[in-house]
Amino acid sequence: MDSKAHWERVYRTKAPDAVSWYRQHLETSLALIERAVPARSASIIDVGGGESTLVDDMLGRGYNNITVLDISQAAIDVTKHRLGLAAEQVHWLVADITNVELEPLTYDLWHDRAVFHFLSTVEQRTAYVRQVARSVKPGGHIIVSTFGPEGPLKCSGLEVARYDAESLHREFGAGFHLVESSTELHETPFETTQQFLYCYCRIE
Ligand SMILES: C[S@@+](CC[C@H](N)C(=O)[O-])C[C@H]1O[C@@H](n2cnc3c(N)ncnc32)[C@H](O)[C@@H]1O
């Protein structure tokens, strides 16, 4: 099954709070975003936003230039429906981040929680990093969260890579300056925990 078919099936068959990555609010992401780009006009893309409430919370804090991208139409539909009229304030993209044509030098901040670690080939990871380098403005902010060194080996039935700050930063390369990193224990809806790594970089 290809990646899109996999994610469409997941979101068509599971409730938003019945997936291991569900969290009512992505507090760590929100805190980093508010610190990195305090201006509410900042152009923000949430890559692989899925059905997460990050977009609701960013809108609630007054951000007014948000793009949510996901490979799954089903996930985007659920999120739009949840937001109601507020969905009209958001740019929506249903696309694979490794091959979509994003506008160059557009985003002040790139956010990804739990997408990059699914990219299993060098080609996919290189394409992803190229997208960041192309579409984020010089001096822009990149927040990427993956499973940490003690995180799971699989998620949603798919194999994932685990990273520490050094190995994740290495994937991005010298053009990215690592500002800070941290780990977090995520409590899944199934009363298990998963170690996540958060890396915050700036593009030179
Ligand atoms: C583990 S979920 C995380 C969702 C959300 N970021 C969160 O933290 O709740 C991974 C998400 O990435 C999306 N995804 C997977 N591969 C993708 C790709 N190549 N391009 C865009 N989205 C992708 C999936 O549809 C799914 O919504």
Side-chain angles (χ1 to χ4, degrees):
M1 191 188 294
D2 71 16
S3 179
K4 180 170 171 66
H6 171 84
W7 290 106
E8 294 292 11
R9 188 184 53 81
V10 167
Y11 284 116
R12 289 219 177 93
T13 55
K14 289 184 190 274
D17 60 355
V19 291
S20 59
W21 54 93
Y22 172 75
R23 190 172 174 87
Q24 202 171 7
H25 300 282
L26 300 186
E27 299 90 346
T28 305
S29 296
L30 272 171
L32 279 167
I33 291 168
E34 284 200 281
R35 201 143 49 82
V37 288
R40 274 22 189 180
S41 57
S43 174
I44 298 174
I45 183 166
D46 185 19
V47 174
E51 295 176 351
S52 98
T53 58
L54 183 63
V55 59
D56 314 42
D57 290 336
M58 287 193 289
L59 287 169
R61 280 161 172 74
Y63 287 102
N64 57 33
N65 192 354
I66 304 168
T67 300
V68 177
L69 178 149
D70 202 280
I71 201 167
S72 164
Q73 180 73 58
I76 293 285
D77 288 347
V78 167
T79 305
K80 276 181 165 176
H81 187 254
R82 187 182 65 233
L83 282 168
L85 275 181
E88 290 172 17
Q89 297 170 45
V90 177
H91 311 287
W92 302 96
L93 291 174
V94 176
D96 181 335
I97 193 57
T98 62
N99 61 28
V100 62
E101 280 261 330
L102 293 175
E103 288 293 317
L105 307 181
T106 298
Y107 303 109
D108 296 298
L109 186 138
W110 176 289
H111 175 268
D112 160 357
R113 175 177 181 265
V115 184
F116 186 81
H117 59 205
F118 287 107
L119 304 180
S120 55
T121 67
V122 175
E123 289 75 21
Q124 287 174 321
R125 294 192 294 275
T126 304
Y128 179 106
V129 173
R130 210 176 284 137
Q131 293 281 25
V132 183
R134 199 177 110 88
S135 64
V136 176
K137 296 175 188 172
H141 309 261
I142 297 101
I143 296 166
V144 176
S145 178
T146 64
F147 284 143
E150 288 150 36
L153 294 165
K154 281 190 150 191
C155 177
S156 186
L158 303 174
E159 287 188 8
V160 290
R162 302 185 293 185
Y163 294 95
D164 59 18
E166 198 190 334
S167 57
L168 184 55
H169 182 236
R170 205 180 309 126
E171 294 285 340
F172 281 76
F176 294 80
H177 166 64
L178 178 62
V179 181
E180 63 182 62
S181 65
S182 59
T183 55
E184 173 173 282
L185 263 195
H186 164 60
E187 286 182 22
T188 74
F190 320 120
E191 293 177 3
T192 57
T193 55
Q194 300 177 327
Q195 187 195 43
F196 273 74
L197 168 77
Y198 267 87
C199 268
Y200 166 28
C201 292
R202 292 196 73 171
I203 194 161
E204 306 279 316

